[in-house]
Amino acid sequence: MKKILIIASTELAVFQMLTHLEQSKAEYINDILIQIESKNLFKFKKNKIFKLIFRKQFYVSQPSLPTFFRIFKFWRILAADKNQIIRNKVLNELKKISFDLENYDEVFFSNETISHYILYNSKVQKTYFNHSPIDTLLNIRLNFFKKIKNFIECYINNKFMNIYYKGNGNFLQKSIFSNYLKNKNSKHVLSMRIFRKIFFKFNKEKVKKISKSDYNLINFYLPYYAFNSKNSEIIVKNYINYFIENIFTEIIKKSSMKDIFLFKFRQTIPKNFQSKVFKYIKIKFPNVNMVLVNKEYPQMVNLEKVILNFKVKRFFTSYSSSIFLGKILSSKILIYSYAEFWDKF
């Protein structure tokens, strides 16, 4: 029976890994190594279902990101010793929890920092699962010069930088997002049907919905630099007014007065700020039924979970992985992008 290690830091990657395992119909024993960081938006330790799926669960702190060699930043090769020091710390921490990579035949991983350290010089079979749609571009066809550049960078990183680096055919790749590629590759594609079933199993919640009302989900976000600028107050105030006048008014036009609008903020946006913005919008539109998801349903940490549990009819957002996942979870959902307004702002 095959022994598989799953390295994880996000639930999305785990759901894809479980989809692949069920899709392959192979017999296996699997353990999970969970990279923990202060900004984790979920708690694996509290997830009782995971305890039933995995034989062993290992928890390790997220280490510092290694320094990667780049041709146009060739001096980074001097950081090889620094990478080795961090790697030694990681290995010592894993030794304390009785973790040994040699116990496994195959490793499933995504964008976890720790994978760069523990997979270095390992002959174990490696399968990478996409963290986002952009990762599907790892298979993009490159011109001759870019192929040479990638080959050199991969070789030097894996040979001299004391880290594992994806490239030169040293990993397999699987992705739920590959279903949306124009030229699909059956070796990379995961079953949407199985993924949907697994997602439902882990994310189904009991919510009280108002009958005869459609639910619209609004992915409310701010410019990335909004809270990091000396002019942040002006930027934020201007954007909120811009959102109300140019975006929300258009959203209402595509909906019915009986509809309920679910506002979802990024978890990283301060809660007091979320409440302040939501209250301001409600004052501007007193006759519109609105719900602040972050406050009323704090367990719904991602947009996909909201789409699933409320059977959202319309989803208003900019470009994000939730566009693809939303369609997988609900084929009838209508998705509207307000990226054009965002770009103008």
Side-chain angles (χ1 to χ4, degrees), residues 198-334:
I198 290 173
F199 193 94
F200 278 27
K201 178 180 179 180
F202 284 93
N203 293 282
K204 194 68 178 175
E205 299 281 351
K206 291 183 179 180
V207 295
K208 291 182 179 180
K209 294 189 293 182
I210 299 174
S211 60
K212 298 182 180 179
S213 292
D214 291 327
Y215 284 82
N216 299 315
L217 175 60
I218 298 172
N219 177 18
F220 190 99
Y221 55 93
L222 290 157
Y224 292 110
Y225 52 82
F227 294 106
N228 301 319
S229 167
K230 63 180 180 179
N231 299 315
S232 60
E233 285 190 23
I234 297 173
I235 293 171
V236 170
K237 184 178 180 181
N238 286 345
Y239 178 71
I240 293 170
N241 289 327
Y242 181 85
F243 174 86
I244 290 172
E245 294 173 11
N246 298 280
I247 299 175
F248 194 55
T249 51
E250 292 298 317
I251 288 174
I252 290 176
K253 290 178 183 178
K254 297 183 182 297
S255 311
S256 166
M257 289 305 295
K258 292 182 180 180
D259 287 1
I260 298 171
F261 295 85
L262 304 169
F263 279 79
K264 181 73 174 70
F265 288 78
R266 286 180 179 271
Q267 297 295 116
T268 53
I269 297 176
K271 291 182 179 179
N272 60 337
F273 178 80
Q274 295 177 26
S275 298
K276 185 178 179 181
V277 172
F278 184 70
K279 184 178 179 180
Y280 182 68
I281 296 175
K282 286 195 74 173
I283 291 173
K284 291 285 185 178
F285 299 89
N287 297 321
V288 177
N289 196 338
M290 307 178 197
V291 176
L292 178 55
V293 175
N294 304 67
K295 181 180 179 181
E296 301 298 328
Y297 303 94
Q299 74 276 21
M300 296 189 190
V301 297
N302 56 58
L303 293 160
E304 299 80 43
K305 199 166 185 176
V306 181
I307 290 171
L308 164 69
N309 286 286
F310 283 96
K311 294 183 180 179
V312 170
K313 183 174 181 178
R314 302 178 189 86
F315 178 34
F316 300 90
T317 183
S318 68
Y319 181 81
S320 75
S321 60
S322 59
I323 291 175
F324 303 94
L325 295 172
K327 272 294 182 183
I328 291 172
L329 297 174
S330 176
S331 60
K332 293 182 180 179
I333 191 172
L334 301 173

Side-chain angles (χ1 to χ4, degrees), residues 138-195:
L138 288 172
N139 292 308
I140 194 171
R141 291 183 178 180
L142 304 175
N143 61 37
F144 175 77
F145 294 105
K146 287 186 177 180
K147 282 183 179 179
I148 294 297
K149 176 178 177 292
N150 280 9
F151 178 87
I152 293 172
E153 290 180 346
C154 181
Y155 179 82
I156 292 178
N157 275 300
N158 283 291
K159 197 75 175 177
F160 302 105
M161 297 301 291
N162 298 313
I163 54 169
Y164 166 73
Y165 185 85
K166 297 190 300 295
N168 295 350
N170 64 4
F171 71 105
L172 302 175
Q173 185 177 10
K174 299 288 181 179
S175 172
I176 195 65
F177 301 108
S178 292
N179 287 281
Y180 293 97
L181 290 175
K182 185 176 181 180
N183 298 315
K184 296 180 184 178
N185 187 327
S186 59
K187 293 181 180 179
H188 303 145
V189 172
L190 293 173
S191 167
M192 291 195 291
R193 179 185 61 81
I194 296 175
F195 177 86

